[in-house]
Amino acid sequence: MSDNLPPNHVFTRREFLKKTNATVATLPFITSAITDERGPIPELMEDSAPVRWLDDQAPGTFHGTTWGIPWPQGLYPRETRFSLTSEKGTAIPVQTWPLGYWPDGSLKWTAHAVPADVERATNYVLGPGPAAEPTRRLAAVETDEFIQVDTDVITVTIAKEGDTVVKDISRGGVTIAHDGRLVCSLEDRSQPGIKQEKGFTGKIDSVTLEQSGPVRAVVKIEGRHANEDRTWLPFVVRLYFYAGSDAVRVIHTIVFDGDEYSDFISGLGLRFTVPMRGALHDRHVRFSGSEGGLFAESVRGLTGLRRDPGDDVRQAQVDGRRTPPTSEWNPRVPPRLNYIPAFNDWTLDQTTADGFQIKKRTSKVHTWLMSAQGQRSDGFGYLGSPEGGLGFGLRNFWQSYPAQLDIRDAAMDSAQVTLWMWAPNAQPMDLRPYHDGMGQDTYAKQYNGGLEITYEDYEPGFDTPFGVARTSEMYLWALAATPSRGQLVELAAATRTPPVLTTTADYLHACKVFGDIWAPVDRSSLSHAAIEDRLDWLFDFYHDQREQRRWYGFWNYGDVMHTYDLDRHEWRYDVGGYAWDNSELSTDLWLWLYFLRSGRADVFRFAEAMTRHTGEVDVHHIGRFAPLGSRHNVLHWGCSAKQLRISTALNRRYYYYLTADERV
């Protein structure tokens, strides 16, 4: 496209759109040529749809999942029931509901959920017929005071009012965690020169049982954070449950409705109380490190001592098993146990994309000891004993820094575990504008000033974060005992990369649900291969730029930059209207169409992160600008051009139909 241009030529926005439109105009002809050369559009597998794992292999740890499948127009009426079969012919329990219809009323999209104990085949087939009954059946009960969900492994009770979101998580009649609360700490700067720390707890406004089984249940909790003086910061939390699973998936969204000049959030988290059982040396703390690494210690360590308690004792503690009775230890050790420090508090924090640290202390009046450091943690932790414990994880932990996992009072009868979506150990959240307007107090100055020189649309009061949102994803596991190291690594991997089911590019294309200007990857000729190579290069370029330029962070992860500065060899992150893209060049559509064609897992997850970001951070969900989005700017919400092309559902529909995600 730039072969005849000078080497330092920079495309203007007008040139880019002109050339892009010209390329798009040729797509029907390219598609037609590809279809002609490949032969007719692939026929359906009789009346069924192929289902595969996004990563092309069955996961090691699985807690259930949901995905969407399209159907050709006219194939199935809306009352059709569906069954799922593995490649080995095993009938798989599946829960089904409709997502969309063709104009003739036939099913266009359906959503499906499978339980945790699904057979781990590589491929499955979905077709009409009665679904197999789950071996472990999920049940949900609703009363005036609470909703209780039983997965046949764990039972979770959700309150309908008050400030305790999750009353209890139990397994086999034993409480693993209770009193789950949303917590927020605020650095209040409303008084000049004074910073006041204020605490808030999420208060429930409404609770809805959106699905009740037999495979999947969803509970939606809405409310606001409150203390005795103020109620603010709306939240929406969805809890997901699957039959036969010991896990709870948590999708947490906040909408900022504060004053960016005075409200600096210094901590945002989900906290549980965890009953502690067993001797201090049988209480285990685990944190995930980088690339499968695991930090594994105990509240009172028995390794490295001057007097060795014995090989069996040390190995049991390291493995997370119950240690032998003290009568079987080296007799020099038990009388001196109280002289071995018991570490009460533990913290894993990731305050940048490139560094985490793990610390511990004996009490809050004593210093922290640096225990471990690394680059990128998977964001998983565990606290418990051989009698059971709580696994907990925050997805995109380092990508969405600053994040933090806290354990407090592990040496007491009850401990607290907090998953911090915004880490208290980091600087408070600063959402103020990045300049004072620079005298642009008239429309003439705004047009002939900032817009003409930095391409920045500016009007006073428009560069506000009021109404923007942010979603985080967390996981909780109620475990019967301390897992082995291998199992813990698998849980960390499930936090980092949750297993996803999807279908094939050929099948999606055959259904014609996303239009016909795209076709599956085709390398049947040299010219087609050259096009495919170029498309691969384009995605790989942005994928690698995200890593090289560190396009990460709580408010930034998922977006890409808009324009490059060849003089500085840097993206124009600080030049008015040229910084964050905010969907302005339809990047979302490019990524999703590229996934439809290729089926690549890395493309899916790149597009997923962008859909979350651009649909939430770049859009005003409440306030004077709702439901508009903000055009590109140094800050995602900074542009005064509030537009529907940013908030359009067109950018989200791919993710919604492929995953059936309620939040999107």
Side-chain angles (χ1 to χ4, degrees), residues 207-278:
V207 178
T208 306
L209 180 60
E210 294 186 323
Q211 282 192 329
S212 57
V215 171
R216 178 187 194 250
V218 182
V219 178
K220 177 184 179 183
I221 307 165
E222 297 176 274
R224 294 168 293 171
H225 294 78
N227 62 15
E228 62 277 6
D229 299 319
R230 182 183 181 186
T231 298
W232 77 305
L233 200 63
F235 66 83
V236 178
V237 171
R238 278 186 172 87
L239 306 176
Y240 293 82
F241 307 87
Y242 290 88
S245 175
D246 54 8
V248 182
R249 179 176 181 242
V250 183
I251 298 294
H252 169 280
T253 301
I254 57 163
V255 180
F256 185 79
D257 65 342
D259 181 341
E260 62 270 27
Y261 288 96
S262 59
D263 293 330
F264 291 71
I265 294 174
S266 55
L268 184 69
L270 173 61
R271 176 175 295 156
F272 282 88
T273 298
V274 179
M276 299 307 297
R277 303 174 178 92

Side-chain angles (χ1 to χ4, degrees), residues 82-84 91-94 130-134 215:
F82 290 94
S83 63
L84 185 69
I92 307 296
V94 63
E133 289 293 322
V215 171

Side-chain angles (χ1 to χ4, degrees), residues 83-86 88-94 118-119 124 130-135:
S83 63
L84 185 69
T85 307
S86 75
K88 300 176 183 177
T90 305
I92 307 296
V94 63
V118 63
E119 180 184 301
Y124 306 87
E133 289 293 322
T135 304

Side-chain angles (χ1 to χ4, degrees), residues 440 445-457 631:
Q440 298 177 76
K445 291 179 181 178
Q446 292 156 16
Y447 180 79
N448 295 310
L451 189 61
E452 282 295 299
I453 190 65
T454 63
Y455 195 36
E456 181 175 43
D457 277 314
R631 174 180 162 272

Side-chain angles (χ1 to χ4, degrees), residues 133-273:
E133 289 293 322
T135 304
R136 293 179 176 272
R137 190 179 182 91
L138 181 148
V141 176
E142 183 171 10
T143 72
D144 292 339
E145 291 79 30
F146 61 84
I147 293 174
Q148 190 171 79
V149 180
D150 186 348
T151 71
D152 206 22
V153 176
I154 64 172
T155 302
V156 180
T157 305
I158 299 105
K160 281 193 167 183
E161 61 180 15
D163 58 6
T164 300
V165 176
V166 178
K167 292 175 64 97
D168 183 83
I169 302 175
S170 63
R171 179 170 183 154
V174 176
T175 294
I176 301 297
H178 61 90
D179 289 336
R181 300 167 183 256
L182 298 173
V183 292
C184 172
S185 56
L186 178 69
E187 186 178 280
D188 186 341
R189 302 185 186 181
S190 57
Q191 300 182 44
I194 299 176
K195 297 178 182 180
Q196 292 181 310
E197 287 291 334
K198 296 182 177 180
F200 296 83
T201 304
K203 184 177 180 180
I204 298 170
D205 289 335
S206 66
V207 178
T208 306
L209 180 60
E210 294 186 323
Q211 282 192 329
S212 57
V215 171
R216 178 187 194 250
V218 182
V219 178
K220 177 184 179 183
I221 307 165
E222 297 176 274
R224 294 168 293 171
H225 294 78
N227 62 15
E228 62 277 6
D229 299 319
R230 182 183 181 186
T231 298
W232 77 305
L233 200 63
F235 66 83
V236 178
V237 171
R238 278 186 172 87
L239 306 176
Y240 293 82
F241 307 87
Y242 290 88
S245 175
D246 54 8
V248 182
R249 179 176 181 242
V250 183
I251 298 294
H252 169 280
T253 301
I254 57 163
V255 180
F256 185 79
D257 65 342
D259 181 341
E260 62 270 27
Y261 288 96
S262 59
D263 293 330
F264 291 71
I265 294 174
S266 55
L268 184 69
L270 173 61
R271 176 175 295 156
F272 282 88
T273 298

